[in-house]
Amino acid sequence: MRLLWALCVRRGSIHGKTAAELLAELKDDQDYKLLKAAQKQRFSKLEASFAEDEKDLVSEINFAGFNVTSVWDLVNRKNDYDSIAPILIKHLSIKHHPRIISGIARALALPSQADNITLWNTLKDLYINTRTDSEIIEPVERGCQEAIAVALETLATKSRVSDLKQIIDKVPNADGIVWLKAKLQKVQSYT
């Protein structure tokens, strides 16, 4: 949609027209077709790059008996994959694109892993050392710190109050910090 908006603004043809009218007008527009083709090519390259990046991870997950094409296939599915947590944790320490790390972190946001100290410590260190979205120029690289915050929030228990305080003190303006602050208040109320 941004592509359509930018083209229409550039041409000055946005005023007084509905989206349907603009789409109809642009249907045969060569500039629009070229922009759409370039955008499609860019997305195809990104998808291929992500697939190459997570090739070994996907292979290990599939070998363990879970049929996936991406680590993101685990996100928001039935939490029946605790057995592959060690694979996912290992890959948090391997250099991957931030989008892949985000998928791994989100896949590890499993309440059943709350007692996994290795996972907690890995995510905690990763969160503290990951750049915020405001520090990242390329939009496709954003969202990693927030995905890690989701996992940390899920895994946080009352025994981790001091760790949560440490994280909040160390990176008070990090992405997703509001969830960690809310979780801290929640777990402190249990004591």
Side-chain angles (χ1 to χ4, degrees):
M1 206 62 190
R2 285 186 204 164
L3 181 66
L4 173 62
W5 179 259
L7 186 61
C8 291
V9 168
R10 190 175 79 207
R11 291 173 167 225
S13 61
I14 194 91
H15 300 290
K17 294 183 183 175
T18 66
E21 290 170 332
L22 288 171
L23 285 172
E25 183 180 307
L26 292 172
K27 183 179 173 187
D28 296 320
D29 186 283
Q30 289 305 314
D31 288 341
Y32 180 69
K33 287 180 180 181
L34 289 171
L35 286 171
K36 286 296 281 182
Q39 184 182 50
K40 185 176 180 179
Q41 183 179 22
R42 181 172 181 262
F43 288 145
S44 293
K45 284 181 181 179
L46 277 173
E47 287 176 18
S49 173
F50 295 152
E52 179 62 28
D53 184 299
E54 67 178 329
K55 179 177 61 175
D56 292 341
L57 171 60
V58 167
S59 178
E60 290 176 48
I61 293 170
N62 287 332
F63 186 75
F66 295 87
N67 186 24
V68 298
T69 58
S70 170
V71 69
W72 283 94
D73 294 344
L74 298 173
V75 178
N76 296 327
R77 80 174 249 167
K78 183 180 173 191
N79 296 342
D80 61 350
Y81 55 90
D82 278 319
S83 62
I84 63 168
I87 295 169
L88 298 172
I89 294 167
K90 176 182 88 172
H91 278 271
L92 284 175
S93 300
I94 295 173
K95 179 125 174 80
H96 285 289
H97 187 280
R99 178 87 176 125
I100 305 306
I101 294 293
S102 297
I104 296 169
R106 291 290 305 276
L108 285 166
L110 299 168
S112 58
Q113 292 294 316
D115 293 330
N116 189 325
I117 295 168
T118 301
L119 173 58
W120 175 261
N121 288 333
T122 302
L123 287 169
K124 182 177 74 166
D125 292 341
L126 193 58
Y127 183 73
I128 290 169
N129 293 305
T130 298
R131 295 181 301 158
T132 64
D133 286 354
S134 64
E135 299 171 296
I136 299 170
I137 295 169
E138 188 63 40
V140 74
E141 294 181 5
R142 295 179 186 147
C144 191
Q145 194 176 50
E146 187 171 24
I148 299 165
V150 169
L152 286 168
E153 189 273 337
T154 301
L155 300 173
T157 61
K158 66 181 179 179
S159 66
R160 297 205 169 111
V161 166
S162 63
D163 278 352
L164 282 172
K165 287 179 180 178
Q166 178 190 28
I167 293 167
I168 292 165
D169 288 344
K170 197 160 198 157
V171 287
N173 298 312
D175 300 328
I177 200 75
V178 293
W179 293 326
L180 298 182
K181 288 178 179 178
K183 186 66 172 218
L184 176 61
Q185 287 181 338
K186 187 175 181 180
V187 295
Q188 281 181 320
S189 70
Y190 295 149
T191 58

